[in-house]
């Protein structure tokens, strides 16, 4: 495994100038008309603030009472954070889809509705293919603000002393949006503490943060296999999605054939990107009501379920290498602490993708509903826990905090998006179970789950 060190002084991002476990945290659009009524259904294109609405009023707000260690003598000894990159521009693939939709709108004979005329006559297609998923200024702020909030939540670990002393490590995917998110996280801390006399390294490690690119079995059986997403394609051709497409066609006064499922998705993404990047409640959002948005969210959830989560075993097993890395850091910290040594790595910040975080959450057993998501059970899944809008907004994060509560009593607290969650299977211990119980619960994965073995492609011998 090779890692490349980069200096945080190289802040590599481009800004286009001149361009303006169920979590019940719905934003009420009536209280803030600047927020689209459908913003809570944006899946992986959603803002972090929709998951934690209190941040809309104060982006640096924290509530330390949520941590609730079992006794006052508990002290934090190690924290590992696996974080998704911040808000980004659309990828080249999605820009192309959006451009096609824009051309359809420009050529349509819209009605006299003001917002439709605005869409056709005033809104201009400003997304370009060379943006290709790069971090935007909002994404820079996502990670700066997250760094400050985590320093307030965990002041004994994420501190100026620990940073200067080399006790905080940074690891990132090689993708520019992840490198720039890592730089932004570090900048949040250095600006907070006015550090100007030191720079802090980070390691680029795709083996950990882009494991899905390295797992041959996943690539062959799922990622590059059209039959793996049959349920997704069936839903896109089904009655719910067809109703959304026809409704958009009716509004735009174009033939039904002009609005494909890709076009409907492009319209939904335009609404989401305009809001996430520019905080604009765009006229694109008016093409969807709440039920339409639920359909679009379900289509996205289906894709993530089958391509990155519980749909196939290899989806989660591809994250074995990251799973073992996280637990090896916890174990090293536990042993150093128990032997009376100073914990050498107090904090590990690992920045990757939604595709990094979701397989790991799946491997740990989070958000596993009793029934799988399929093309035919949209109506039955309205109360599902598997909601990417709640799990994987921009800057989504899984945080594991190791506590020493005295007398050899080590505890491990998981948080998702700054909220305590419960390890599946350990609900009787609430959100801070004994560390040894967590190890026992995941013993089969800790003893097995070998990345090389799991990702090996087993082929049937050729017929003689």
């Amino acid at each position: 495994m090779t890692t490349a060190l980069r200096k945080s002084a190289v802040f590599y991002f481009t800004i286009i100038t001149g361009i303006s476990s169920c979590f019940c945290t719905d934003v009420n659009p009536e209280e803030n008309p600047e927020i689209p009524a459908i913003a809570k259904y944006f899946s992986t294109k959603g803002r972090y603030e929709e998951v934690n609405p209190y941040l809309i009023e104060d982006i640096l707000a924290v509530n330390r009472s949520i941590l609730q260690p079992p006794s006052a003598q508990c002290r934090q000894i190690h924290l590992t954070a696996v974080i998704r990159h911040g808000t980004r521009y659309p990828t080249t693939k999605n820009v192309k889809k959006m451009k096609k939709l824009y051309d359809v709108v420009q050529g349509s004979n819209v009605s006299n509705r003001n917002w439709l005329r605005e869409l056709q006559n005033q809104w201009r297609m400003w997304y370009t293919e060379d943006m290709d998923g790069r971090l935007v200024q909002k994404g820079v702020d996502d990670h700066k603000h997250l760094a400050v909030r985590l320093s307030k939540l965990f002041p004994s670990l994420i501190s100026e002393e620990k940073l200067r002393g080399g006790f905080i490590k940074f690891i990132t995917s090689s993708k520019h949006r992840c490198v720039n998110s890592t730089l932004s996280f570090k900048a949040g801390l250095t600006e907070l503490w006015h550090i100007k006399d030191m720079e802090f390294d980070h390691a680029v490690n795709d083996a950990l943060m882009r494991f899905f690119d390295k797992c041959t079995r996943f690539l062959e059986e799922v990622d590059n296999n059209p039959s793996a997403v049959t349920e997704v394609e069936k839903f896109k051709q089904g009655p719910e999605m067809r109703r959304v497409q026809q409704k958009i066609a009716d509004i735009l006064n174009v033939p039904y054939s002009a609005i494909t499922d890709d076009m409907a998705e492009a319209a939904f993404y335009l609404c989401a990107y305009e809001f996430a990047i520019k905080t604009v409640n765009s006229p694109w959002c008016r093409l969807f009501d709440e039920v339409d948005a639920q359909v679009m969210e379900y289509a996205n959830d289906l894709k993530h379920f089958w391509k990155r989560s519980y749909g196939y075993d290899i989806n989660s097993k591809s994250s074995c290498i990251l799973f073992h890395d996280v637990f090896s850091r916890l174990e090293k910290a536990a042993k150093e602490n128990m032997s009376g040594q100073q914990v050498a790595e107090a904090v590990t910040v690992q920045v990757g993708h939604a595709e990094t975080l979701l397989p790991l959450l799946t491997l740990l057993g989070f958000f596993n509903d009793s029934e799988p998501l399929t093309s035919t059970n949209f109506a039955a899944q309205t109360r599902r826990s598997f909601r990417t809008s709640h799990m994987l907004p921009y800057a989504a994060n899984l945080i594991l905090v190791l506590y020493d509560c005295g007398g050899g009593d080590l505890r491990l607290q998981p948080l998702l998006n700054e909220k305590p969650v419960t390890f599946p299977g350990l609900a009787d211990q609430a959100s801070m179970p004994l560390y040894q119980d967590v190890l026992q619960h995941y013993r089969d994965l800790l003893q097995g789950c070998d990345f090389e073995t799991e990702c090996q492609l087993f082929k049937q011998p050729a017929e003689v």
Side-chain angles (χ1 to χ4, degrees):
M1 185 186 308
T2 61
T3 60
L5 291 178
R6 299 289 186 268
K7 290 288 186 181
S8 63
V10 185
F11 206 134
Y12 170 54
F13 71 90
T14 57
I15 301 298
I16 307 300
T17 58
I19 294 172
S20 349
S21 325
C22 170
F23 300 107
C24 300
T25 56
D26 293 352
V27 174
N28 185 351
E30 293 179 359
E31 296 177 1
N32 191 341
E34 296 302 311
I35 297 175
I38 61 173
K40 56 187 176 235
Y41 301 111
F42 285 160
S43 186
T44 58
K45 307 297 186 289
R47 295 192 313 174
Y48 194 78
E49 290 88 331
E50 266 56 67
V51 174
N52 293 315
Y54 60 87
L55 296 176
I56 296 170
E57 296 299 320
D58 180 1
I59 197 62
L60 299 179
V62 297
N63 178 10
R64 295 201 68 208
S65 67
I66 63 171
L67 301 178
Q68 295 182 332
S71 72
Q73 68 184 45
C74 293
R75 59 186 182 87
Q76 302 152 3
I77 61 172
H78 175 80
L79 179 153
T80 284
V82 182
I83 310 174
R84 185 191 179 199
H85 58 75
T87 306
R88 61 168 174 79
Y89 287 117
T91 59
T92 297
K93 179 182 176 181
N94 281 329
V95 170
K96 289 178 179 178
K97 292 179 182 178
M98 291 152 62
K99 178 67 166 61
K100 286 182 180 179
L101 175 66
Y102 175 71
D103 290 343
V104 169
V105 171
Q106 288 299 297
S108 67
N109 182 20
V110 299
S111 70
N112 59 0
R113 300 184 198 182
N114 289 338
W115 65 270
L116 274 174
R117 288 204 303 272
E118 179 185 347
L119 203 58
Q120 190 174 53
N121 300 326
Q122 297 179 32
W123 194 89
R124 289 291 174 260
M125 180 64 187
W126 62 274
Y127 299 99
T128 57
E129 292 182 22
D130 60 354
M131 291 175 172
D132 195 25
R134 294 188 182 278
L135 200 70
V136 301
Q137 183 60 50
K138 175 64 166 63
V140 172
D141 295 338
D142 287 339
H143 274 255
K144 282 187 175 184
H145 295 149
L146 178 62
V148 173
R149 291 197 304 272
L150 292 183
S151 74
K152 292 166 72 174
L153 266 179
F154 307 104
S156 64
L157 292 178
I158 302 179
S159 66
E160 180 178 358
E161 179 185 6
K162 288 282 197 295
L163 183 62
R164 286 183 175 276
F167 298 101
I168 301 178
K169 306 295 184 184
F170 300 93
I171 299 170
T172 178
S173 152
S174 64
K175 287 289 185 179
H176 40 68
R177 53 186 171 272
C178 296
V179 172
N180 290 331
S181 292
T182 305
L183 295 172
S184 301
F185 192 100
K186 288 190 284 186
L189 298 180
T190 56
E191 290 171 12
L192 175 66
W193 298 317
H194 308 289
I195 298 175
K196 297 180 180 179
D197 59 332
M198 291 184 72
E199 294 177 354
F200 303 97
D201 290 335
H202 61 263
V204 174
N205 191 332
D206 282 345
L208 280 181
M209 307 316 294
R210 291 184 62 83
F211 51 76
F212 42 87
D213 279 346
K214 316 289 183 181
C215 184
T216 305
R217 186 174 154 220
F218 166 74
L219 293 173
E220 291 289 329
E221 295 183 2
V222 181
D223 201 36
N224 297 325
N225 178 11
S227 67
V229 289
T230 299
E231 290 298 316
V232 182
E233 295 307 313
K234 284 182 179 177
F235 185 75
K236 287 183 176 181
Q237 304 305 317
E240 294 92 353
M241 184 64 81
R242 187 163 55 250
R243 182 190 62 81
V244 174
Q245 293 168 226
Q246 291 176 351
K247 178 180 170 184
I248 293 173
D250 286 339
I251 292 173
L252 297 178
N253 195 23
V254 297
Y256 286 164
S257 60
I259 304 298
T260 63
D261 57 274
D262 275 353
M263 292 283 194
E265 182 182 68
F268 196 62
Y269 283 173
L270 277 164
C271 169
Y273 279 117
E274 290 288 278
F275 183 56
I277 296 172
K278 298 164 64 178
T279 322
V280 169
N281 189 348
S282 161
W284 292 105
C285 302
R286 302 282 292 273
L287 292 171
F288 302 89
D289 61 22
E290 186 168 17
V291 175
D292 301 331
Q294 290 169 350
V295 171
M296 301 305 299
E297 180 194 44
Y298 191 73
N300 275 304
D301 286 354
L302 264 179
K303 181 178 72 173
H304 284 91
F305 182 90
W306 289 99
K307 289 201 73 169
R308 302 291 177 177
S309 189
Y310 292 104
Y312 300 98
D313 185 59
I314 189 57
N315 294 345
S316 61
K317 292 294 178 61
S318 66
S319 71
C320 285
I321 189 169
L322 180 58
F323 170 86
H324 281 296
D325 179 78
V326 167
F327 274 89
S328 67
R329 294 174 194 279
L330 290 168
E331 190 63 12
K332 184 174 182 290
K335 288 180 178 178
E336 288 172 345
N337 179 72
M338 295 299 283
S339 65
Q341 302 175 50
Q342 183 174 20
V343 175
E345 195 166 308
V347 176
T348 311
V349 176
Q350 299 176 293
V351 180
H353 308 262
E355 296 84 358
T356 308
L357 203 46
L358 183 53
L360 181 61
L361 289 172
T362 303
L363 192 66
L364 294 170
F366 289 104
F367 308 108
N368 190 7
D369 296 297
S370 58
E371 294 293 327
L373 276 65
T374 71
S375 58
T376 58
N377 64 358
F378 166 72
Q381 289 281 13
T382 54
R383 299 188 65 82
R384 67 189 182 280
S385 66
F386 191 92
R387 293 269 310 276
T388 52
S389 298
H390 292 165
M391 298 152 56
L392 297 168
Y394 293 119
N397 52 85
L398 173 66
I399 297 172
L400 299 176
V401 188
L402 190 63
Y403 287 80
D404 180 353
C405 294
D409 180 7
L410 294 181
R411 303 272 177 157
L412 186 63
Q413 180 172 44
L415 300 99
L416 184 67
N417 301 328
E418 300 173 71
K419 300 174 186 173
V421 289
T422 303
F423 283 114
L426 293 172
D428 57 325
Q429 297 197 42
S431 66
M432 201 176 292
L434 292 167
Y435 174 58
Q436 287 302 319
D437 286 352
V438 177
L439 296 182
Q440 179 66 17
H441 180 66
Y442 292 116
R443 65 188 180 280
D444 290 343
L445 290 173
L446 289 166
Q447 293 169 5
C449 201
D450 178 69
F451 180 82
E452 297 298 332
T453 302
E454 296 292 347
C455 290
Q456 182 179 350
L457 186 63
F458 297 99
K459 292 186 177 180
Q460 294 293 329
E463 292 185 7
V464 179

